[in-house]
Amino acid sequence: MLLSKYKNGNATIELYDDGTKIMETDDDEFDFEFASSMDVCISERCDNGCKFCYANCTPDGKVASFDWDFLSGIPAGVEMAINMQFPLPEGFEEFLQKMKDQGVIVNATINQRHFEQHENYIAYLVAKHLIWGVGVSLVHATPQFIDTVSQYNNAVIHVINGIVTMTDLQLLSDKGLKLLILGYKDKGRGVAYHADEDVEIKRRQKMLRHYLPVLLHMFSAVSFDNLALKQLDVKRLVSDAAWEEFYMGKEASSSFYINLVNGTYSPSSLDTLELPIGNLSVKEMFQNVKGKSILDEDYANNKG
């Protein structure tokens, strides 16, 4: 089902309820007026205690306020990816309703433990179309988890290169599930964890890189963030024509990162360039960081 179709700069964008996004332009390159998607941090409070958490989340971490003026100016059809951690920030559901009323497509990423603990509430949010896509960050692939997540047509299993095991991937495979592979982020607690577990992380990354050609055919869809594209050298596995068709572009070319907790925005969650939101509109923020990611050159050349 078509969720939205809109003009953005020199592009026409269509977004469907299964997560498919089609961007077309008559020009040689895309030139977006505003971001077609935004990665928005709404909480640094989490009791999962992941040793590799790049955001340094803690049980007493800060949470966002939803009274930012720019939120009212987000164009209809734009996708917003939020991190959904418990306890949720005050006014969370009202925020989701506001975004829905504006036509903003909200997708939520939630840790497997929280997904299993609060599955009834997540099902409610999905049924009300307050959130569309559900990204579940894998802890372990148990039969019960697979049965539950399989009930969500719009669920995507999130795994991290260097953390996920081949055993878990094998258990998840051939179940009609969608997989998103994220690059390992040497940021926050991820720095110390990488130093302590360097050998094991590299072993898992090597295994994933080796078996990736097979894994691509064991899920209904496999996607990557730009960091994983680089770490796994995914471009080696596809034709130039396929890369041209499916590659969504460099960091900050059509998306950017907003941290509502500390009131800053960046080209991506890994960039050291952090600017204050202030009274800027979402369009102004995007134009300020567009094409300015420190990672652009590596991503463009797809070098490891």
Side-chain angles (χ1 to χ4, degrees):
M1 180 181 72
L2 180 66
L3 292 182
S4 64
K5 181 176 181 178
Y6 61 97
K7 290 286 293 183
N8 183 350
N10 67 351
T12 300
I13 298 177
E14 295 180 355
L15 184 65
Y16 293 83
D17 62 351
D18 64 354
T20 300
K21 178 184 287 186
I22 299 174
M23 304 190 298
E24 296 179 318
T25 182
D26 293 329
D27 299 327
D28 293 335
E29 295 183 357
F30 289 104
D31 185 13
F32 299 105
E33 178 186 357
F34 52 90
S36 67
S37 63
M38 300 178 296
D39 185 8
V40 180
C41 174
I42 66 168
S43 176
E44 294 177 355
R45 180 180 298 167
C46 182
D47 59 7
N48 280 313
C50 299
K51 295 179 180 180
F52 46 83
C53 178
Y54 81 93
N56 280 330
C57 292
T58 61
D60 59 352
K62 296 180 180 180
V63 296
S65 165
F66 298 118
D67 59 359
W68 293 93
D69 291 339
F70 79 86
L71 292 172
S72 299
I74 300 176
V78 168
E79 289 186 278
M80 176 187 291
I82 62 171
N83 58 320
M84 189 174 166
Q85 297 153 188
F86 290 82
L88 295 165
E90 183 178 353
F92 174 73
E93 198 165 326
E94 291 82 358
F95 159 71
L96 292 182
Q97 185 64 56
K98 174 182 173 63
M99 294 298 97
K100 177 184 176 181
D101 293 344
Q102 288 179 209
V104 177
I105 311 301
V106 177
N107 304 309
T109 299
I110 182 169
N111 183 275
Q112 179 184 336
R113 293 191 184 97
H114 284 165
F115 173 79
E116 293 173 330
Q117 292 167 2
H118 304 277
E119 195 266 327
N120 287 338
Y121 182 58
I122 295 165
Y124 158 78
L125 295 177
V126 171
K128 298 283 287 184
H129 292 161
L130 293 174
I131 59 175
W132 286 91
V134 180
V136 184
S137 300
L138 183 71
V139 178
H140 291 298
T142 64
Q144 181 179 356
F145 167 67
I146 293 172
D147 288 344
T148 302
V149 78
S150 295
Q151 298 174 24
Y152 290 78
N153 293 328
N154 55 356
V156 180
I157 312 301
H158 291 199
V159 299
I160 300 173
N161 179 35
I163 300 298
V164 68
T165 66
M166 292 307 301
T167 298
D168 276 334
L169 288 173
Q170 288 169 350
L171 290 171
L172 292 169
S173 66
D174 298 320
K175 304 288 193 306
L177 297 171
K178 299 174 184 177
L179 187 72
L180 170 61
I181 301 176
L182 304 168
Y184 187 96
K185 294 182 178 180
D186 285 297
K187 184 178 180 180
R189 293 200 295 271
V191 176
Y193 186 78
H194 201 163
D196 292 339
E197 302 292 337
D198 181 67
V199 173
E200 181 62 16
I201 288 173
K202 287 180 178 177
R203 186 190 70 82
R204 292 179 178 180
Q205 289 177 334
K206 183 177 180 179
M207 291 288 287
L208 181 55
R209 179 187 172 102
H210 177 74
Y211 285 106
L212 189 58
V214 177
L215 289 171
L216 292 176
H217 302 285
M218 298 171 70
F219 294 86
S220 65
V222 180
S223 54
F224 308 83
D225 70 355
N226 274 350
L227 188 57
L229 288 176
K230 173 188 173 186
Q231 290 176 353
L232 294 169
D233 190 14
V234 177
K235 191 174 182 180
R236 67 192 162 92
L237 302 177
V238 299
S239 66
D240 290 343
W243 182 264
E244 183 69 20
E245 180 180 0
F246 293 110
Y247 179 51
M248 295 294 290
K250 300 179 293 184
E251 294 290 339
S253 61
S254 64
S255 64
F256 73 113
Y257 175 75
I258 298 176
N259 189 325
L260 288 186
V261 177
N262 62 25
T264 62
Y265 65 101
S266 309
S268 77
S269 59
L270 278 179
D271 271 276
T272 55
L273 173 65
E274 294 184 352
L275 303 171
I277 295 173
N279 296 318
L280 296 175
S281 70
V282 70
K283 293 182 181 180
E284 290 171 327
M285 283 187 272
F286 175 62
Q287 291 297 327
N288 286 343
V289 298
K290 184 178 177 181
K292 295 182 179 178
S293 173
I294 59 173
L295 306 171
D296 276 352
E297 184 176 352
D298 280 346
Y299 289 154
N301 296 326
N302 199 35
K303 295 179 179 177

